[in-house]
Amino acid sequence: MDEHELLAERFEQNRTRLRAVAYRMLGSSNGADDAVQEAWLRLSRSDSSGVENLAGWLTTVVARVCLDMLRSRAARHEEPWDPHGPGTIEPSSEIDPEHDALLGDSVGLALLVVLETLAPAERVAFVLHDMFAVPFDDIAPIVGRSPAAARQLASRARRRVQGASVPDTDLSRQREIVNAFLAAARGGDFDALLAVLDPDVVLRAESGIAGPAASREVRGAEAVASQALAFSKLGLVVQPALINGAAGAVTTRDGQPFSVVGVTVRDGKIAEIDILADPERLRRLDLTVLDG
C-alpha cells in the first residue's frame, strides 16, 4: 500500500464521524458531504507527516469549512433544504445506516430547528464542545476567539437550545394534525384551518422558476389559511405522506408529483409549512405515501 492509499484509508476511518460533525453544524446532508469532501482535498494536498492527531486535525478542518459555509449562508439569507430541518426534503437513501444511527440518538428535527437559530460561531462552538467534547482551547482558533470567548459562545447557544420551543416529534400526533389541516382545506373550512395553525405560522414556497417569484413567504394564520384554501382549488390530488420521517403531504397532477408539503408541528399547532414545487428537485425525492 503506497502513502496515498494509506492516507485515504485513514481518512475513511474518520469519515462517518466527520460527516456527523458537519451534519450537526450545517443541518444538511448534502452540505455535510461537501464539507467532508473538502477536508479530504485539503488533506490530500497537505504534508500530513507531522500530524500526530489526524482525527483532531480533520475535525478542525471540517469545522472551519462548515463555519465558512454557515457565514456564507447567513450573508445570503439562505436556509438549507434538508430532510431533518424546516423546509427541507431530500432522499433518505443518501444517508447510510451507520450515519443514521449516529444522528438518531441526539440529532432530530427538533434540535436541528433550534440550531438554525444560532449564529454561525455559536453553532460551531456548541456542536464541537457539547456534542463532541472538543476543548475550548481547540475551538478558540477555529472561531477566531479566545478560549474564554469560545466558552461564552457555547454557553449562550446552550441557553437558547434549552429554552427553545421545539417541534413535536411524535409522528402519530404530527399525522393527526396534518390530516386535520388537509381535511379542512379540502372542505373549505376556514375556521377549522385556523384551529390547527399557530397564530404566527410561516408558509414558505419554492417553485424553481426564475426570478423573484421563485420563492415566497406568507406569515400569520389567516393569511396561510387563505393560501391553503386557494391551493385546494387547483384540482390536485393531495395525499398525506411520510417525508423523510416526518408527516407531510404530496400533491400530484396527472399521476406525477406536483409539490411536496413539509410541516413543522409545535405545541400541537402547525408552526411552519414548506412547499417545494420545483420539478427538478421533486424528481430527486424519496416520497412514501401514507395510508389514510
Side-chain angles (χ1 to χ4, degrees), residues 139-157:
I139 296 172
I142 296 174
V143 296
R145 311 286 180 89
S146 68
R151 183 186 298 275
Q152 287 299 314
L153 287 173
S155 177
R156 187 159 60 240

Side-chain angles (χ1 to χ4, degrees), residues 55-88:
W57 187 91
L58 288 169
T59 299
T60 297
V61 171
V62 166
R64 285 175 170 159
V65 171
C66 289
L67 182 58
D68 289 342
M69 294 171 72
L70 287 170
R71 285 170 172 166
S72 177
R73 181 194 299 171
R76 296 195 301 268
H77 306 288
E78 292 181 352
E79 295 184 14
W81 284 75
D82 198 74
H84 300 285
T88 309

Side-chain angles (χ1 to χ4, degrees), residues 109 168-187 192-193 195-197 201 228 238-243 245-251 260-266 268-275 288-292:
L109 171 63
D168 299 340
T169 56
D170 186 314
L171 182 57
S172 62
R173 181 61 175 153
Q174 291 177 19
R175 184 175 176 180
E176 177 185 342
I177 293 169
V178 169
N179 285 346
F181 173 80
L182 296 177
R186 187 166 50 247
L193 283 170
V196 297
L197 293 173
V201 61
V238 183
Q239 296 175 284
L242 185 65
I243 305 170
V250 174
T251 71
V260 168
V261 183
V263 177
T264 300
V265 177
R266 186 178 293 118
K269 302 280 188 178
I270 293 177
E272 300 180 36
I273 301 173
D274 292 277
I275 301 175
T288 304
V289 175
L290 295 172
D291 296 325

